[in-house]
Amino acid sequence: MTYTNKLPEAGTTIFTVMSKMAQDFGAVNLSQGYPDFDGPRELHDAVARHLGQGHNQYAPLAGVPELKEQIAAKVGALYGCMVDSERQVVVTPGATEAIYCALTAIIHLGDEVIVFDPAYDTYEPGIRLNGGVARRIPLQSPHFRIDWQRVRDTITDRTRMIMLNSPHNPTGAVLAPEDIEALREVIDRHDILLLSDEVYEHLVFDGREHLSLLRYPDLAQRSFCIFSFGKTYHVTGWRIGYCVAPAELTDAFLNIHQFINFSTTTPLQYALADYLRDHPRHHLDLAAFYQRKRDLFRDLLKPSPFHLLPSRGTFFQLADYSRVNDAPDREFAAWLTQEHGVAAIPISVFYENAPDQRVIRFCFAKKDTTLRQAAERLAVIASL
Ligand code: GLN
């Protein structure tokens, strides 16, 4: 049999590799980004209730109406964006599926998509599998701001889309008002769509606001904005998110979604609809909740040889380990997991051309006891 693997060099995603290594070596797992605590009891109970009430068959293609209405109400209240829940919202099995559907709906052979490095690892495969070409623009450490002049210089008549991600995984950078202005100016008079990965929308720290593209009608009218319930309710394993887009883009999105997953797990959707209805303010406490964890983790690492970069959002903390040794980051992450019992993510995997830097990513979405245990192990590592 002969066949050609479409992503031969993809291997296994770093999240799976590092979580497995953490498990194999009994390490504290600060690699793959997920909480080691549960979400609200009431939400879990609501799932059980809906399972018991016979909500166990296919949901409608775009999601159950009750949940789509709650989503429309939420983006209206949070971002002042009035959406038609019937035409502009799709509930998806995770944000990853949503990103893939949006790309597949739009990208044709030879289309170019601008992506910022480091970029989350699903972006480029999603572009390439659709015949597109990722044009990757590096973000500069330590603030990882977008160089808009480079964006301007990278746009060609084949540029179909720009992918944005704020709060940004893995760096924790967030878009500022100047970025929104620059984005507007750069795409003005170009036929360019936006894909905005906003799965960490509620995890923005130090009093800043999340600048969802849904806040800006001129940008929202050309955007797929993608969100995650997994991050908001500490249930990443439920695989449930959603996409908000103009009606025409939503139609194109649904054309793809119907053939990939058709629809999303029914009882979860009913449970989330109930929870959003009964606790419409739950997500407002998340920033403070995670900011405290970020600050605790940063404090705990003070005695360690790691130099911590700024983390303005997400539940990730980048750490420079050049005071420990000079190893490439994949090697360092394996060593840290195996020899010191703490797993982290090497960030070079998120680049087309990784710069010469010694940086790994820790996830601080963990119980305080977990963070303390990790910090104790990291504090004893010797400096050069
Ligand atoms: N988003 C998670 C992270 O960045 C990983 C999700 C996954 O493993 N697919 O760590």
Side-chain angles (χ1 to χ4, degrees), residues 9-67:
E9 72 294 345
T12 302
T13 156
I14 193 68
F15 305 116
T16 299
V17 170
M18 293 312 305
S19 276
K20 177 165 189 318
M21 197 184 293
Q23 200 175 14
D24 290 349
F25 288 85
V28 181
N29 189 1
L30 305 190
S31 64
Q32 192 177 23
Y34 63 86
D36 68 347
F37 43 86
D38 264 340
R41 186 72 252 161
E42 216 179 308
L43 175 59
H44 293 213
D45 291 346
V47 177
R49 194 170 62 243
H50 285 288
L51 280 168
Q53 286 174 356
H55 282 139
N56 298 305
Q57 308 307 330
Y58 297 123
L61 198 55
V64 306
E66 289 85 345
L67 181 55

Side-chain angles (χ1 to χ4, degrees), residues 33-353:
Y34 63 86
D36 68 347
F37 43 86
D38 264 340
R41 186 72 252 161
E42 216 179 308
L43 175 59
H44 293 213
D45 291 346
V47 177
R49 194 170 62 243
H50 285 288
L51 280 168
Q53 286 174 356
H55 282 139
N56 298 305
Q57 308 307 330
Y58 297 123
L61 198 55
V64 306
E66 289 85 345
L67 181 55
K68 291 191 301 177
E69 281 159 23
Q70 290 301 326
I71 291 169
K74 178 177 174 181
V75 301
L78 261 180
Y79 303 129
C81 176
M82 296 307 147
V83 299
D84 176 349
S85 67
E86 277 305 301
R87 300 289 322 276
Q88 296 185 253
V89 178
V90 184
V91 182
T92 61
T96 295
E97 197 251 10
I99 292 168
Y100 193 77
C101 288
L103 289 169
T104 305
I106 297 303
I107 301 308
H108 293 255
L109 190 65
D111 284 349
E112 294 178 6
V113 180
I114 292 180
V115 171
F116 300 100
D117 274 0
Y120 189 57
D121 72 343
T122 64
Y123 297 173
E124 170 133 10
I127 297 165
R128 292 219 341 244
L129 288 170
N130 286 295
V133 179
R135 301 289 310 273
R136 302 179 68 137
I137 297 178
L139 304 171
Q140 300 302 335
S141 172
H143 293 293
F144 297 98
R145 302 288 308 272
I146 293 175
D147 178 345
W148 290 102
Q149 188 53 47
R150 276 192 79 159
V151 180
R152 225 171 262 120
D153 297 342
T154 305
I155 290 177
T156 71
D157 52 11
R158 310 203 74 158
T159 309
R160 206 70 275 279
M161 190 182 256
I162 300 176
M163 291 182 82
L164 295 155
N165 172 213
S166 177
H168 185 262
N169 181 5
T171 69
V174 298
L175 289 179
E178 309 85 87
D179 294 306
I180 300 295
E181 279 315 307
L183 171 63
R184 274 207 174 104
E185 199 236 306
V186 161
I187 60 178
D188 187 36
R189 291 187 301 276
H190 288 287
D191 222 6
I192 293 178
L193 296 177
L194 303 170
L195 192 163
S196 187
D197 173 353
E198 303 184 17
V199 298
Y200 299 99
E201 64 180 323
H202 301 305
L203 280 55
V204 176
F205 309 137
D206 309 316
R208 289 187 183 79
E209 272 187 329
H210 170 56
L211 302 186
S212 173
L213 296 196
L214 294 180
R215 287 178 189 268
Y216 312 98
D218 58 322
L219 298 176
Q221 56 108 4
R222 48 163 108 197
S223 302
F224 294 97
C225 293
I226 293 171
F227 303 91
S228 161
F229 287 121
K231 316 294 186 281
T232 300
Y233 297 114
H234 317 307
V235 289
T236 61
W238 289 11
R239 312 302 299 124
I240 183 162
Y242 54 98
C243 175
V244 178
E248 214 182 306
L249 293 181
T250 300
D251 288 346
F253 183 102
L254 283 170
N255 284 346
I256 306 303
H257 172 70
Q258 67 185 338
F259 297 130
I260 295 190
N261 231 80
F262 181 69
S263 63
T264 302
T265 314
T266 306
L268 298 184
Q269 295 195 56
Y270 281 106
L272 284 161
D274 287 356
Y275 196 81
L276 273 158
R277 183 195 61 219
D278 297 342
H279 302 275
R281 300 177 61 78
H282 166 274
H283 51 267
L284 300 179
D285 296 331
L286 267 187
F289 174 80
Y290 275 116
Q291 182 172 326
R292 195 196 62 79
K293 290 209 177 280
R294 177 201 64 176
D295 293 344
L296 171 68
F297 187 55
R298 289 180 70 97
D299 263 0
L300 290 169
L301 286 196
K302 275 196 184 128
S304 84
F306 291 92
H307 167 70
L308 302 180
L309 279 67
S311 167
R312 299 200 157 129
T314 73
F315 44 48
F316 301 120
Q317 172 63 61
L318 293 186
D320 182 310
Y321 61 85
S322 49
R323 282 196 296 228
V324 180
N325 68 37
D326 202 28
D329 64 355
R330 280 191 87 122
E331 210 176 281
F332 184 84
W335 173 80
L336 195 66
T337 308
Q338 296 171 17
E339 302 297 324
H340 290 277
V342 181
I345 295 288
I347 71 162
S348 61
V349 299
F350 302 122
Y351 287 85
E352 179 174 54
N353 295 305

